[in-house]
Amino acid sequence: MAVINNILQTNLNGLILKNPIMTASGTYGYADEYDDFINVENLGAIVTKAISLKPREGNKHTRIAETEAGMINSIGLENVGIEKFLKEKLPVLKEKNIDFIMNIAGSTQEEYTELAKICNENKIKAIELNVSCPNVKTGCIEFGVDEKALYNLVSEVRKNYKGYLIVKLTPNVTSIENIGIAAEKAGANAISAINTIKGMSIKLNYINGRFNKAVVQGGYSGIGIKPAALSAVSKLSKVVSIPIIGIGGIEKLNDILEFFAAGAQAIQIGTANFTHPDIAEKLIFELEEYILQNGFKDLNELKRELRI
Amino acid sequence: MIKDQIKKIYKAKIINTEKVSTNSYYIEIDCNKEIEAKAGQFVSIYCEGLTFRRPFSIFTNNKGKIGILYKERGKGTKYIKSLKKGESIDISGPLGNSFSIKNCKSLLIGAGIGTAPISFLKSKLENENIENIFIAGFLNKNEIPKLINPNIIYTDDGSFGKKGNVLSDTEEIIKKYKPEIIYGCGPEIVLKKISELGERYNIETQISLEKLMACSIGVCRGCVIDIKHGTKTVNASVCKDGPVFWGNEVIWQ
Ligand SMILES: Cc1cc2nc3c(=O)[nH]c(=O)nc-3n(C[C@H](O)[C@H](O)[C@H](O)COP(=O)(O)OP(=O)(O)OC[C@H]3O[C@@H](n4cnc5c(N)ncnc54)[C@H](O)[C@@H]3O)c2cc1C
Ligand SMILES: Cc1cc2nc3c(=O)[nH]c(=O)nc-3n(C[C@H](O)[C@H](O)[C@H](O)COP(=O)(O)O)c2cc1C
Ligand code: FES
């Protein structure tokens, strides 16, 4: 099986991908583990784990829990830091010919600006801003929940970074439309949505007259968040004109079609990579097969037909 | 450089299933491809409807065939139990690091279902003619799986073998037998004691840890523990850097 004729080629208003299927930040590392399972270079792109200015150790307490329809994570952005990424991970991605988008995260606007500059100097083709991080200057408020803070952040990054800029929105807001509009106004080339939903897992086990309590507070992802993600993508698609990358609970071909119907131009797969390490590549083949079998000219025609 | 055994997903066929104690089962899977697993490595199994694949230590490995020994706990193991001979199963591996085998007198300690990887280790040592003793511990006679190969068995209630827990006589065994390395797998409390004994008697220990896993291949950082690295504390993933660690490296909670 091989992808033929470029029928899956996806043009995100300037960023051209082999196909619309990417893997989501934090679920694919730096792609170094997955090439035992698939040909990673077949993917539209991989989005790296969030990279911060300095290495981060992440959280100390229990970091994951499985839920009825997905999982909760509280990893705490453990990552190698930008210096080590550029020195050790970037050359491998390049050598293996893997298209990638760098996901970046900071805790102050200055940190994001600094990261943007470094990405610019290193000619990183595309970055995705993770704005679901608390702004340490304003306490626990995330950049991505405050229109003004987000507008300023994206504008500042835009000034310092000439490549393709994606802003990844958090669903934990009252109006995701307003946040999307702010991102577009500030100069984003695309929006990706959604990041994880705030969620909690409590597992109780009564043994020997005592409750054993396993608690994880963090971000909810996986199949259970698909309806929320579809809603966000659909609402955003009505108010912004930049491309939208749909994320949330995708694990089969039909999920991808639903995201196209809602207005996504491309998609990312997250949690499902854990359940099926070969899922992303499999879905590329399935999508291609679907287009050919049903007699569509290409992906663009399929998307037009699907659009609600 | 020899590339480590490639981790692949096998839509494999179940060639054998067997109930081996009141609450544990053996399942043998034909991956239809030559696999050379090391003792201590594990596989992950997709269980229908569940987000996380379930990790299980490799208990037997004969060419392309992998056997595991599992205890029924929740949904995942119930699903595996429901599978029948001839049906297919989604298995990935071998994953993780392995026990470091040394050519010296070895003491092997396994408690409960932790005896599975230790049994595999014992057969590897025996293949290399390395002298060893394997002691195993269980709650009672009904929980002893049929297929394991220990030299000494303990049961908490004395219903089989010696009465007591698996570590009841370890100090005496250490003094008499004078092992140069101790391997262990089982509940964390047992592993902690093994590593303490190792420090007290100045013997190297290698223990296999368990931790809830999401990706089981080292990318999500969900299964990390604290490890001593010189004077520093660093993160290590149980799924990729482990599951086997040197006892004196682990920082116990
Ligand atoms: C590297 C590694 C190797 C393993 N090897 C084996 C093996 O060879 N044989 C075997 O039977 N099991 C082994 N396990 C444990 C096994 O993975 C779990 O028992 C299994 O995932 C439980 O799945 P479940 O869906 O049936 O239970 P769940 O529904 O997930 O859990 C049911 C109950 O069991 C408890 N539980 C779940 N996971 C564990 C765990 N890891 N340790 C202790 N309690 C747990 C839960 O707290 C809960 O109360 C191993 C684990 C690891 C990390
Ligand atoms: C373990 C884990 C780690 C994640 N880390 C990041 C991250 O570093 N940066 C980021 O922008 N999103 C991160 N995410 C969010 C995902 O990229 C994705 O937006 C979310 O999981 C929803 O998609 P899914 O339902 O397909 O998993 C993480 C998700 C998980 C499960
Ligand atoms: S389970 Fe993902 S890093 Fe270990």
Side-chain angles (χ1 to χ4, degrees), chain A residues 162-196:
Chain A
K162 305 283 168 276
Y164 193 85
L165 173 59
I166 304 166
V167 178
K168 180 170 181 180
L169 302 187
T170 166
N172 305 312
V173 294
T174 315
S175 159
I176 200 161
E177 293 98 314
N178 289 346
I179 308 281
I181 293 168
E184 180 172 27
K185 269 199 198 139
N189 297 104
I191 282 171
S192 55
I194 54 176
N195 210 317
T196 53

Short mmCIF file of all heavy atoms in Angstrom, two decimals, chain A residues 162-196:
data_model
loop_
_atom_site.label_atom_id
_atom_site.label_comp_id
_atom_site.label_asym_id
_atom_site.label_seq_id
_atom_site.Cartn_x
_atom_site.Cartn_y
_atom_site.Cartn_z
N LYS A 162 8.59 34.01 11.64
CA LYS A 162 8.10 34.24 10.27
C LYS A 162 7.44 33.00 9.66
O LYS A 162 6.83 33.09 8.60
CB LYS A 162 9.27 34.68 9.37
CG LYS A 162 10.02 35.90 9.87
CD LYS A 162 9.23 37.18 9.59
CE LYS A 162 9.81 38.38 10.32
NZ LYS A 162 9.36 38.52 11.72
N GLY A 163 7.58 31.88 10.30
CA GLY A 163 7.05 30.64 9.72
C GLY A 163 5.54 30.50 9.91
O GLY A 163 4.83 31.47 10.18
N TYR A 164 5.08 29.28 9.78
CA TYR A 164 3.64 28.98 9.87
C TYR A 164 3.25 28.85 11.33
O TYR A 164 3.79 28.02 12.06
CB TYR A 164 3.36 27.69 9.10
CG TYR A 164 1.90 27.43 8.85
CD1 TYR A 164 1.27 27.98 7.74
CD2 TYR A 164 1.16 26.62 9.69
CE1 TYR A 164 -0.08 27.74 7.49
CE2 TYR A 164 -0.18 26.37 9.46
CZ TYR A 164 -0.80 26.94 8.36
OH TYR A 164 -2.12 26.69 8.11
N LEU A 165 2.29 29.67 11.75
CA LEU A 165 1.94 29.74 13.17
C LEU A 165 0.53 29.20 13.44
O LEU A 165 -0.46 29.76 12.98
CB LEU A 165 2.05 31.20 13.63
CG LEU A 165 1.57 31.53 15.04
CD1 LEU A 165 2.33 30.74 16.09
CD2 LEU A 165 1.72 33.03 15.31
N ILE A 166 0.49 28.11 14.21
CA ILE A 166 -0.80 27.52 14.60
C ILE A 166 -1.04 27.85 16.08
O ILE A 166 -0.13 27.73 16.89
CB ILE A 166 -0.76 25.98 14.44
CG1 ILE A 166 -0.38 25.60 13.00
CG2 ILE A 166 -2.10 25.35 14.83
CD1 ILE A 166 0.00 24.13 12.83
N VAL A 167 -2.23 28.25 16.41
CA VAL A 167 -2.56 28.47 17.82
C VAL A 167 -3.52 27.36 18.25
O VAL A 167 -4.56 27.15 17.63
CB VAL A 167 -3.20 29.86 18.05
CG1 VAL A 167 -3.58 30.03 19.52
CG2 VAL A 167 -2.23 30.95 17.62
N LYS A 168 -3.11 26.64 19.30
CA LYS A 168 -3.92 25.50 19.76
C LYS A 168 -4.81 25.93 20.91
O LYS A 168 -4.33 26.31 21.97
CB LYS A 168 -3.00 24.36 20.20
CG LYS A 168 -3.75 23.14 20.69
CD LYS A 168 -2.82 21.98 20.88
CE LYS A 168 -3.55 20.74 21.35
NZ LYS A 168 -2.63 19.62 21.53
N LEU A 169 -6.11 25.88 20.69
CA LEU A 169 -7.04 26.43 21.67
C LEU A 169 -7.45 25.43 22.74
O LEU A 169 -7.56 24.24 22.50
CB LEU A 169 -8.30 26.94 20.96
CG LEU A 169 -8.08 28.00 19.88
CD1 LEU A 169 -9.42 28.52 19.39
CD2 LEU A 169 -7.21 29.14 20.38
N THR A 170 -7.68 26.00 23.93
CA THR A 170 -8.21 25.19 25.01
C THR A 170 -9.73 25.26 24.99
O THR A 170 -10.30 26.31 24.70
CB THR A 170 -7.67 25.68 26.38
OG1 THR A 170 -8.45 25.07 27.41
CG2 THR A 170 -7.78 27.19 26.54
N PRO A 171 -10.40 24.16 25.29
CA PRO A 171 -11.87 24.16 25.29
C PRO A 171 -12.43 24.71 26.61
O PRO A 171 -13.64 24.89 26.72
CB PRO A 171 -12.21 22.68 25.14
CG PRO A 171 -11.08 21.99 25.83
CD PRO A 171 -9.85 22.83 25.57
N ASN A 172 -11.55 24.96 27.57
CA ASN A 172 -12.02 25.33 28.90
C ASN A 172 -12.33 26.82 29.00
O ASN A 172 -11.76 27.55 29.81
CB ASN A 172 -10.99 24.91 29.95
CG ASN A 172 -10.66 23.42 29.84
OD1 ASN A 172 -11.57 22.59 29.76
ND2 ASN A 172 -9.39 23.09 29.80
N VAL A 173 -13.20 27.27 28.10
CA VAL A 173 -13.53 28.70 28.01
C VAL A 173 -15.04 28.85 27.82
O VAL A 173 -15.73 27.88 27.47
CB VAL A 173 -12.83 29.37 26.81
CG1 VAL A 173 -11.33 29.38 27.00
CG2 VAL A 173 -13.19 28.68 25.50
N THR A 174 -15.53 30.08 28.02
CA THR A 174 -16.96 30.33 27.85
C THR A 174 -17.30 30.44 26.36
O THR A 174 -18.25 29.86 25.88
CB THR A 174 -17.37 31.62 28.57
OG1 THR A 174 -16.77 31.60 29.86
CG2 THR A 174 -18.87 31.72 28.70
N SER A 175 -16.48 31.20 25.62
CA SER A 175 -16.73 31.33 24.19
C SER A 175 -15.46 31.06 23.41
O SER A 175 -14.56 31.90 23.35
CB SER A 175 -17.23 32.75 23.88
OG SER A 175 -17.02 33.03 22.51
N ILE A 176 -15.38 29.90 22.81
CA ILE A 176 -14.16 29.57 22.05
C ILE A 176 -14.11 30.41 20.77
O ILE A 176 -13.03 30.70 20.27
CB ILE A 176 -14.07 28.05 21.77
CG1 ILE A 176 -12.62 27.67 21.43
CG2 ILE A 176 -15.03 27.62 20.64
CD1 ILE A 176 -12.29 26.22 21.55
N GLU A 177 -15.27 30.87 20.31
CA GLU A 177 -15.29 31.72 19.11
C GLU A 177 -14.47 32.99 19.33
O GLU A 177 -13.66 33.36 18.48
CB GLU A 177 -16.73 32.13 18.73
CG GLU A 177 -17.62 30.99 18.27
CD GLU A 177 -18.51 30.48 19.38
OE1 GLU A 177 -17.99 30.26 20.50
OE2 GLU A 177 -19.71 30.28 19.14
N ASN A 178 -14.71 33.66 20.46
CA ASN A 178 -13.99 34.91 20.72
C ASN A 178 -12.48 34.70 20.78
O ASN A 178 -11.71 35.53 20.33
CB ASN A 178 -14.47 35.55 22.02
CG ASN A 178 -15.88 36.10 21.87
OD1 ASN A 178 -16.37 36.24 20.74
ND2 ASN A 178 -16.53 36.40 22.97
N ILE A 179 -12.08 33.58 21.35
CA ILE A 179 -10.64 33.28 21.46
C ILE A 179 -10.08 33.03 20.05
O ILE A 179 -9.00 33.50 19.71
CB ILE A 179 -10.40 32.04 22.35
CG1 ILE A 179 -11.09 32.19 23.71
CG2 ILE A 179 -8.91 31.78 22.51
CD1 ILE A 179 -10.41 33.05 24.72
N GLY A 180 -10.84 32.30 19.25
CA GLY A 180 -10.42 32.02 17.88
C GLY A 180 -10.27 33.30 17.06
O GLY A 180 -9.29 33.47 16.33
N ILE A 181 -11.23 34.19 17.20
CA ILE A 181 -11.18 35.46 16.48
C ILE A 181 -9.93 36.24 16.90
O ILE A 181 -9.22 36.81 16.06
CB ILE A 181 -12.47 36.29 16.75
CG1 ILE A 181 -13.68 35.58 16.12
CG2 ILE A 181 -12.35 37.71 16.21
CD1 ILE A 181 -15.03 36.14 16.55
N ALA A 182 -9.65 36.25 18.22
CA ALA A 182 -8.46 36.97 18.71
C ALA A 182 -7.18 36.38 18.11
O ALA A 182 -6.27 37.12 17.71
CB ALA A 182 -8.41 36.89 20.24
N ALA A 183 -7.12 35.07 18.02
CA ALA A 183 -5.93 34.42 17.46
C ALA A 183 -5.75 34.81 15.99
O ALA A 183 -4.65 35.12 15.54
CB ALA A 183 -6.04 32.91 17.59
N GLU A 184 -6.86 34.81 15.25
CA GLU A 184 -6.78 35.17 13.83
C GLU A 184 -6.33 36.62 13.67
O GLU A 184 -5.44 36.93 12.88
CB GLU A 184 -8.15 34.96 13.15
CG GLU A 184 -8.11 35.31 11.66
CD GLU A 184 -9.39 34.93 10.91
OE1 GLU A 184 -10.47 34.87 11.54
OE2 GLU A 184 -9.30 34.68 9.69
N LYS A 185 -6.94 37.50 14.43
CA LYS A 185 -6.59 38.93 14.36
C LYS A 185 -5.13 39.16 14.68
O LYS A 185 -4.48 40.03 14.10
CB LYS A 185 -7.43 39.72 15.38
CG LYS A 185 -8.74 40.24 14.80
CD LYS A 185 -9.27 41.37 15.69
CE LYS A 185 -10.74 41.61 15.41
NZ LYS A 185 -11.51 41.84 16.65
N ALA A 186 -4.60 38.37 15.60
CA ALA A 186 -3.21 38.56 16.02
C ALA A 186 -2.22 37.96 15.02
O ALA A 186 -1.01 38.08 15.18
CB ALA A 186 -3.00 37.95 17.40
N GLY A 187 -2.74 37.31 13.99
CA GLY A 187 -1.84 36.86 12.93
C GLY A 187 -1.57 35.37 12.87
O GLY A 187 -0.62 34.94 12.21
N ALA A 188 -2.40 34.56 13.51
CA ALA A 188 -2.22 33.11 13.41
C ALA A 188 -2.54 32.66 11.98
O ALA A 188 -3.43 33.21 11.34
CB ALA A 188 -3.14 32.40 14.39
N ASN A 189 -1.81 31.65 11.49
CA ASN A 189 -2.09 31.08 10.17
C ASN A 189 -3.15 30.00 10.24
O ASN A 189 -3.78 29.68 9.24
CB ASN A 189 -0.83 30.46 9.57
CG ASN A 189 0.24 31.50 9.33
OD1 ASN A 189 1.21 31.58 10.08
ND2 ASN A 189 0.06 32.33 8.32
N ALA A 190 -3.29 29.38 11.40
CA ALA A 190 -4.28 28.32 11.56
C ALA A 190 -4.60 28.16 13.04
O ALA A 190 -3.85 28.65 13.90
CB ALA A 190 -3.76 27.01 11.00
N ILE A 191 -5.71 27.46 13.29
CA ILE A 191 -6.10 27.18 14.67
C ILE A 191 -6.19 25.67 14.80
O ILE A 191 -6.65 24.99 13.89
CB ILE A 191 -7.50 27.79 14.94
CG1 ILE A 191 -7.37 29.29 15.18
CG2 ILE A 191 -8.19 27.11 16.10
CD1 ILE A 191 -8.71 29.99 15.23
N SER A 192 -5.73 25.15 15.94
CA SER A 192 -6.00 23.74 16.19
C SER A 192 -6.85 23.65 17.45
O SER A 192 -6.68 24.42 18.39
CB SER A 192 -4.71 22.92 16.30
OG SER A 192 -3.85 23.45 17.27
N ALA A 193 -7.81 22.73 17.44
CA ALA A 193 -8.73 22.64 18.58
C ALA A 193 -9.30 21.21 18.62
O ALA A 193 -9.65 20.67 17.58
CB ALA A 193 -9.86 23.65 18.43
N ILE A 194 -9.30 20.59 19.78
CA ILE A 194 -9.11 21.21 21.07
C ILE A 194 -7.95 20.55 21.84
O ILE A 194 -7.57 19.41 21.56
CB ILE A 194 -10.39 21.06 21.94
CG1 ILE A 194 -10.83 19.61 22.04
CG2 ILE A 194 -11.48 21.96 21.46
CD1 ILE A 194 -12.02 19.35 22.94
N ASN A 195 -7.45 21.28 22.84
CA ASN A 195 -6.57 20.68 23.82
C ASN A 195 -7.47 19.90 24.81
O ASN A 195 -8.68 19.82 24.61
CB ASN A 195 -5.77 21.76 24.53
CG ASN A 195 -4.41 21.24 24.99
OD1 ASN A 195 -4.32 20.13 25.51
ND2 ASN A 195 -3.38 22.02 24.80
N THR A 196 -6.89 19.35 25.84
CA THR A 196 -7.69 18.52 26.76
C THR A 196 -8.71 19.35 27.54
O THR A 196 -8.53 20.53 27.77
CB THR A 196 -6.78 17.78 27.76
OG1 THR A 196 -5.96 18.76 28.40
CG2 THR A 196 -5.92 16.76 27.08
#
